[in-house]
Amino acid sequence: MAEVITKEQMNEQCSFMAKIKEENNIFAITHGRERRACTKTYGCQQNENDTERIRGMLKECGFSFVDDEEEADLVIYNTCAVRENAEQKVFGRLGILKHIKEERHGDMTIAVCGCMVQQEHIAKQIKKVHNHVDLVFGTHALYRMPKLLYEAMHRKKAVFDIENSDGAIAEDIPTMHESKYQAWVSVMFGCNNFCSYCIVPYVRGRERSRKSEDIINEIKELVKGGCSEISLLGQNVNSYGKDLDEDIDFAKLLRLVNEVEGVERIRFMTSHPKDLSDALIDAMAECDKVCHQLHLPFQAGNDRVLREMNRHYTRDEYLEKIRRIKKKIPDIFLSSDVIVGFPTETNEDFEDTIKVIEEVEFDHIYSFIYSRREGTPAAKLDFVLTDEEIHKNFNRLLEVQNAISKRKNDAYVGTVQTVLVEGKSIKDENVLSGRCDSSKIVNFKGSPDLIGKYVKVKVTQAMTWSLNGELAE
Ligand code: SAH
Ligand code: SF4
Ligand code: F3S
């Protein structure tokens, strides 16, 4: 069982939130406005979920929130390390913040947290090059943010807490959810898979599962607040429960969540193909609230490349699992992650990836160009293909997949979909936007009173990334 942060440790953090709140109240009186925080998130849903907790703690500290760094007294970047471009974006933003802080004669607190700074060489780089940063804390220090922030606001010297650990579980961190109607709920943290290209296991620690009781209680609280769509989150949800004393696995957890009154829809991610069990497929097919949607990254279609990636399945094993899922759940929405240009990948190997895409006909693919990550085994390998060849393959993959996505979307035209209305469309004020069971985005005209409700929408037009429709009732 993973170490659990004790009530006393959490109480200590509460006392720091109260101290900051007191100071922020004085600030509000003397400045005629509240102290403002701005948070920016890079990376995956796990990070989005962490930011919700950061914002929850900041709210308890008495901060108000702004979207623009220029208006903020406190800026927090929650960072991602999975690819180099995610890191470059953050360094770029830090460069801009340096000027803003100088213009304000230093009157700004800057914090950088998350996966990127959990790497020692990055923390060193920040210390050396970006000395306008006041606070740096890694993924394992998230629950300690109030104490660290208090220190950073009072010390002249930057505060660093990037202590590495296998990871603990901290329950009851205040959380401010992005959406009122749908929420991410972490069921486990960390990863034990060590795919040879991936930094996640190094920055997120070992796999550790939350007790099912804690998960169910969090979901019940969310339902009380008006939330009806729950997305269960973990780097490899199929390993859920292996480290617990309870008699539980992910399939059983899905069945428990399915029983919670007020929950209407359940989604989850991510599943690792090697651990996708028949029990899970059965639970998906039998639980009425579990959406017919599965994200199952295959990464590459060539067996040698898969072996060098340390993925523990072959192309045929992957395709066999897809066949089983399609048989049990014929209307399943399938998505996947693919890496193009793994160091030893040749043009012929890449053709095997295209073959898998054409055979499975995914609804959506998230494709990435391989990015070398310091400290991972693949970082030592030499490249077979040139950058130009890799980009050519990447563009070809997009072309092949876009045609499939469009074809799959076309099949929705004329059908009536149940849509959870999430808000107004970004492009047009008069248009509402939401997701149907399979998670495709549906845009349609309707009154804003419908936000947060489930409505029937007839699909009239398919785009590559979304569907357009009209209210059916
Ligand atoms: N735990 C999840 C995904 C984690 S990261 C899983 O295993 O499916 C999300 C995706 O980023 C991965 O699926 C992979 O496709 C991609 N990725 C990870 N490391 C990468 C790297 N070094 N370069 C390019 N893409 C990478
Ligand atoms: Fe990375 Fe592999 Fe773990 Fe996913 S399963 S987070 S790709 S190491
Ligand atoms: Fe997620 Fe990026 Fe960290 S993908 S787990 S935020 S390295």
Side-chain angles (χ1 to χ4, degrees):
M1 290 255 299
E3 181 201 342
V4 176
I5 304 303
T6 61
K7 284 245 166 352
E8 290 71 41
Q9 285 170 299
M10 293 309 288
N11 285 343
E12 190 195 1
Q13 298 306 320
C14 287
S15 70
F16 279 101
M17 286 193 269
K19 278 188 192 178
I20 299 175
K21 188 169 188 166
E22 220 171 276
E23 294 186 1
N24 281 354
N25 285 343
I26 296 167
F27 179 98
I29 294 164
T30 51
H31 290 69
R33 65 167 179 85
E34 283 173 320
R35 238 191 203 139
R36 302 176 190 131
C38 168
T39 59
K40 298 277 176 208
T41 315
Y42 302 83
C44 64
Q45 281 77 15
Q46 193 81 71
N47 255 20
E48 298 281 354
N49 195 231
D50 284 350
T51 298
E52 291 183 339
R53 298 197 279 169
I54 289 171
R55 287 169 75 88
M57 291 188 272
L58 292 176
K59 195 170 167 219
E60 289 287 309
C61 293
F63 284 95
S64 65
F65 293 95
V66 287
D67 291 333
D68 189 350
E69 287 109 311
E70 293 214 30
E71 291 171 19
D73 302 292
L74 166 67
V75 176
I76 301 186
Y77 289 147
N78 190 9
T79 63
C80 169
V82 84
R83 282 170 291 275
E84 196 184 355
N85 54 8
E87 296 185 338
Q88 276 165 348
K89 269 189 218 154
V90 173
F91 280 127
R93 293 306 306 173
L94 286 179
I96 296 169
L97 277 192
K98 188 181 175 100
H99 297 297
I100 301 176
K101 190 169 176 174
E102 273 166 9
E103 274 168 21
R104 291 208 215 150
H105 307 290
D107 192 12
M108 183 184 222
T109 305
I110 301 173
V112 188
C113 67
C115 295
M116 182 176 158
V117 297
Q118 194 67 58
Q119 305 167 97
E120 219 157 283
H121 70 280
I122 297 280
K124 269 191 193 145
Q125 193 175 340
I126 293 179
K127 208 174 253 179
K128 210 166 129 196
V129 184
H130 298 275
N131 51 16
H132 56 299
V133 172
D134 304 283
L135 169 60
V136 171
F137 61 100
T139 57
H140 302 298
L142 183 80
Y143 79 94
R144 297 194 286 270
M145 187 194 82
K147 182 170 188 234
L148 297 168
L149 182 59
Y150 184 83
E151 284 171 6
M153 286 165 82
H154 289 90
R155 255 177 41 182
K156 288 275 166 286
K157 222 172 119 219
V159 174
F160 277 71
D161 184 346
I162 56 155
E163 189 192 329
N164 207 346
S165 97
D166 281 350
I169 291 186
E171 293 291 346
D172 301 325
I173 299 179
T175 308
M176 201 173 118
H177 287 284
E178 232 352 75
S179 157
K180 215 177 136 201
Y181 314 108
Q182 84 90 22
W184 295 97
V185 173
S186 292
V187 301
M188 59 185 299
F189 306 97
C191 180
N192 288 356
N193 287 318
F194 290 94
C195 302
S196 66
Y197 50 81
C198 185
I199 196 72
V200 172
Y202 304 88
V203 294
R204 286 274 175 185
R206 296 292 61 73
E207 276 175 7
R208 51 211 188 271
S209 309
R210 291 175 70 196
K211 284 192 271 177
S212 64
E213 192 191 343
D214 291 331
I215 296 168
I216 298 295
N217 285 341
E218 181 178 347
I219 293 172
K220 284 183 178 161
E221 281 304 308
L222 285 163
V223 169
K224 272 191 210 154
C227 179
S228 66
E229 183 177 306
I230 301 294
S231 301
L232 305 174
L233 197 59
Q235 291 299 346
N236 178 17
V237 289
N238 299 338
S239 293
Y240 173 77
K242 283 186 184 163
D243 56 326
L244 292 177
D245 290 338
E246 294 175 58
D247 171 26
I248 194 147
D249 59 15
F250 189 62
K252 287 181 186 161
L253 181 69
L254 268 190
R255 291 181 191 274
L256 286 180
V257 180
N258 200 59
E259 294 296 307
V260 178
E261 215 171 301
V263 170
E264 301 283 342
R265 275 180 175 172
I266 305 163
R267 306 184 193 277
F268 60 89
M269 74 185 297
T270 297
S271 294
H272 193 299
K274 77 175 162 64
D275 299 318
L276 183 84
S277 63
D278 284 340
L280 178 61
I281 300 175
D282 289 344
M284 285 182 76
E286 288 160 23
C287 294
D288 57 328
K289 297 174 184 173
V290 175
C291 293
H292 290 180
Q293 176 199 4
L294 183 68
H295 181 63
L296 197 65
F298 75 95
Q299 312 296 0
N302 178 271
D303 285 347
R304 182 190 48 78
V305 173
L306 283 172
R307 213 167 36 245
E308 286 174 20
M309 286 180 161
N310 195 30
R311 291 289 289 179
H312 296 282
Y313 55 84
T314 62
R315 173 183 48 184
D316 285 348
E317 282 162 0
Y318 181 85
L319 291 174
E320 175 54 28
K321 293 206 171 171
I322 293 283
R323 264 179 237 121
R324 269 190 258 164
I325 295 155
K326 283 185 173 173
K327 197 166 161 218
K328 278 260 159 86
I329 311 171
D331 64 344
I332 188 87
F333 172 104
L334 287 169
S335 59
S336 197
D337 291 349
V338 173
I339 295 178
V340 180
F342 183 78
T344 61
E345 186 175 76
T346 65
N347 282 325
E348 291 87 75
D349 299 336
F350 172 72
E351 288 310 314
D352 290 335
T353 294
I354 294 286
K355 276 187 212 144
V356 172
I357 292 176
E358 285 174 337
E359 177 164 346
V360 177
E361 299 202 293
F362 295 97
D363 291 84
H364 189 73
I365 289 229
Y366 301 88
S367 47
F368 309 104
I369 290 184
Y370 169 80
S371 170
R372 195 185 158 276
R373 303 287 68 209
E374 198 170 310
T376 61
K380 296 192 192 84
L381 301 172
D382 292 326
F383 282 92
V384 175
L385 298 181
T386 62
D387 275 357
E388 205 185 347
E389 284 172 305
I390 291 171
H391 278 91
K392 199 168 144 226
N393 288 344
F394 183 75
N395 289 334
R396 166 116 181 282
L397 185 153
L398 291 184
E399 239 171 67
V400 171
Q401 181 54 40
N402 284 350
I404 297 172
S405 296
K406 177 69 169 64
R407 207 162 62 231
K408 294 220 110 181
N409 278 359
D410 282 341
Y412 278 70
V413 175
T415 64
V416 174
Q417 298 290 326
T418 305
V419 175
L420 169 57
V421 189
E422 286 170 24
K424 291 179 186 165
S425 151
I426 316 163
K427 288 190 205 133
D428 185 344
E429 266 276 298
N430 300 311
V431 171
L432 299 176
S433 185
R435 279 172 201 275
C436 60
D437 181 279
S438 72
S439 91
K440 280 195 202 282
I441 294 173
V442 186
N443 297 308
F444 59 99
K445 283 211 169 102
S447 147
D449 316 340
L450 296 176
I451 293 172
K453 301 206 168 82
Y454 290 83
V455 296
K456 299 272 184 209
V457 177
K458 183 167 182 188
V459 179
T460 53
Q461 193 186 17
M463 318 297 274
T464 310
W465 309 109
S466 62
L467 304 169
N468 293 335
E470 54 196 37
L471 274 172
E473 285 167 355

